[in-house]
Amino acid sequence: MSENSQGHIPVMMQEVLAALPEETEKTPGIANGQKVVVDMTFGGGGYSRAFLEQTDFTVLGLDRDPAAIARGEALQSAFPNRLKLVETCFSGIDSALVKADICSEEQMNAGKVVDAVVMDLGVSSFQLDEADRGFSFMHNGPLDMRMSRSGPSAADLVAEASEEELARIFWTYGEEKASRKIARALVTARKDMPFTETKQLADAVESVKPRRPKDRIHPATQVFQALRIAVNNELGEIEMAIATAAKLLKPGGALIIVSFHSLEDRIVKQMFADMADKKSHVNKYRPEQEDFKDGYVLPFKGVKAPTSAESSSNPRARSAKMRVLKRKKERVAA
Ligand SMILES: C[S@@+](CC[C@H](N)C(=O)[O-])C[C@H]1O[C@@H](n2cnc3c(N)ncnc32)[C@H](O)[C@@H]1O
């Protein structure tokens, strides 16, 4: 796939389209009887555009980034009756369905209202390429990294977290082996000068973890990934989104997730396995919600990966993994 005019190349688009359910149970009074797919990560609108152009689904596009929602207005005017956009984080999926008039609050609470939910995790090329968003050390900019542009930024985190907390973040979310050494260096350096820019942070990391000739990635890559995950509570959001989305699926509906690193994929794999396990029906991730006794299945084992052609034309696709969870059509006795 070549770079499109939207600046973000959708990853595994054909595989995602093929995973959409053909047939689900019809629910009168929901989205005027139309099939609904929730694009939880609208981003550059690449997935939503394909759903609108290549299927007959009504699309609800969500994104916590106000810039993504604003960019989606052009697509919305091309499909005024089939695309609805709501600015929210994953945890707001249920209220977004009501806000977008897909279903009533009672229907949302009862679940089984949408045919498919799709998540394409991480950041978009728009976010990475805009220096003022502060996601990348490739472009100098403010040390921000907030997808939603609200709440504490990466600069706040680096300024306020203790050395132990920074080391924990770098280790847990970046799998960074030099986590303690880097945290110590940052805490010492911030006494003289606060970290406010991406390049300043990248240089500080590189000074304690010099680049070796065999390194394929910049020494600050894992620290940047870790801070981004922490600032946006990305892993907590994924857990909550999976638990809620599964309940919202109609019988026959599909939850389709494309992830890009092992921490994300581990959560998806574990939660899908728990839900598809016939012995365990309790929603341990959101115990306040109804249990999963209707039953879920994994339509294929393991993950689907991009084709080698896609990986060579779009480097961002190389680490992509797609997993799918389907809600069973028949009701299973509890
Ligand atoms: C990889 S991009 C999606 C690209 C999109 N599929 C496309 O084809 O253009 C991920 C998007 O998801 C959004 N996002 C990530 N985590 C989110 C969350 N917890 N809640 C809402 N949006 C989120 C980001 O702001 C970003 O715009």
Side-chain angles (χ1 to χ4, degrees):
M1 218 181 297
S2 64
E3 181 77 37
N4 66 11
S5 58
Q6 296 172 317
H8 177 94
I9 309 170
V11 171
M12 299 191 72
M13 192 68 255
Q14 294 315 315
E15 291 82 354
V16 169
L17 283 166
L20 290 176
E22 279 170 19
E23 240 184 88
T24 49
E25 286 179 15
K26 296 267 173 299
T27 319
I30 290 184
N32 296 323
Q34 302 302 305
K35 291 193 289 184
V36 177
V37 54
V38 185
D39 179 354
M40 301 273 281
T41 49
F42 182 79
Y47 279 14
S48 285
R49 176 180 290 280
F51 300 149
L52 293 162
E53 291 178 346
Q54 298 180 47
T55 76
D56 58 356
F57 281 81
T58 286
V59 181
L60 170 60
L62 311 182
D63 206 295
R64 75 197 308 193
D65 184 346
I69 297 298
R71 250 188 331 262
E73 279 168 19
L75 188 59
Q76 200 171 30
S77 38
F79 294 91
N81 301 320
R82 284 183 53 216
L83 174 62
K84 291 154 194 282
L85 291 173
V86 177
E87 182 189 322
T88 178
C89 54
F90 291 162
S91 40
I93 176 180
D94 31 20
S95 44
L97 286 164
V98 180
K99 189 170 176 193
D101 263 343
I102 303 280
C103 64
S104 69
E105 197 161 340
E106 278 146 21
Q107 288 168 324
M108 178 269 286
N109 285 331
K112 304 183 187 165
V113 285
V114 301
D115 301 80
V117 176
V118 180
M119 291 181 224
D120 174 19
L121 298 171
V123 274
S124 71
S125 303
F126 285 107
Q127 292 165 325
L128 278 177
D129 294 344
E130 282 168 22
D132 79 316
R133 303 303 302 270
F135 284 106
S136 167
F137 46 78
M138 306 290 277
H139 316 276
N140 191 28
L143 189 57
D144 190 322
M145 302 195 191
R146 295 169 303 170
M147 291 181 189
S148 61
R149 290 198 180 257
S150 62
S153 66
D156 295 329
L157 189 58
V158 174
E160 287 158 23
S162 65
E163 185 181 322
E164 294 68 34
E165 178 64 359
L166 285 175
R168 187 195 65 80
I169 289 171
F170 300 153
W171 173 252
T172 316
Y173 300 145
E175 295 171 327
E176 170 58 73
K177 290 197 183 76
S179 56
R180 285 169 194 271
K181 202 167 146 192
I182 295 169
R184 198 175 316 126
L186 298 188
V187 167
T188 305
R190 78 185 179 189
K191 289 182 188 143
D192 297 328
M193 170 104 71
F195 286 94
T196 55
E197 295 191 348
T198 53
K199 188 165 181 317
Q200 183 193 2
L201 180 69
D203 289 348
V205 174
E206 197 170 2
S207 69
V208 282
K209 188 191 160 194
R211 196 172 193 144
R212 294 163 305 180
K214 64 173 187 170
D215 287 345
R216 288 188 303 135
I217 56 172
H218 188 283
T221 304
Q222 289 144 287
V223 163
F224 270 64
Q225 171 184 300
L227 286 173
R228 194 198 85 201
I229 291 175
V231 164
N232 296 289
N233 181 27
E234 290 184 31
L235 304 183
E237 280 278 311
I238 296 170
E239 276 189 4
M240 201 163 352
I242 294 175
T244 308
K247 178 179 177 263
L248 292 170
L249 286 181
K250 289 181 190 171
L255 172 55
I256 303 161
I257 303 187
V258 178
S259 66
F260 291 89
H261 58 75
S262 57
L263 298 169
E264 293 170 342
D265 185 55
R266 204 174 298 154
I267 295 174
V268 181
K269 179 182 176 186
Q270 183 63 53
M271 289 187 73
F272 279 15
D274 282 352
M275 291 179 197
D277 178 356
K278 292 175 195 64
K279 296 187 286 296
S280 128
H281 296 306
V282 178
N283 182 351
K284 69 180 182 194
Y285 298 95
R286 292 195 93 177
E288 77 281 10
Q289 287 192 352
E290 193 185 83
D291 65 21
F292 287 123
K293 64 177 175 283
D294 279 336
Y296 295 81
V297 286
L298 302 175
F300 55 86
K301 275 198 165 172
V303 296
K304 284 201 198 294
T307 60
S308 49
E310 181 176 2
S311 294
S312 35
S313 67
N314 180 8
R316 192 175 167 272
R318 280 179 204 153
S319 54
K321 287 179 176 160
M322 184 180 90
R323 293 188 189 267
V324 178
L325 180 78
K326 288 198 87 171
R327 193 167 200 165
K328 276 188 192 167
K329 281 194 183 155
E330 324 75 30
R331 200 173 161 80
V332 174

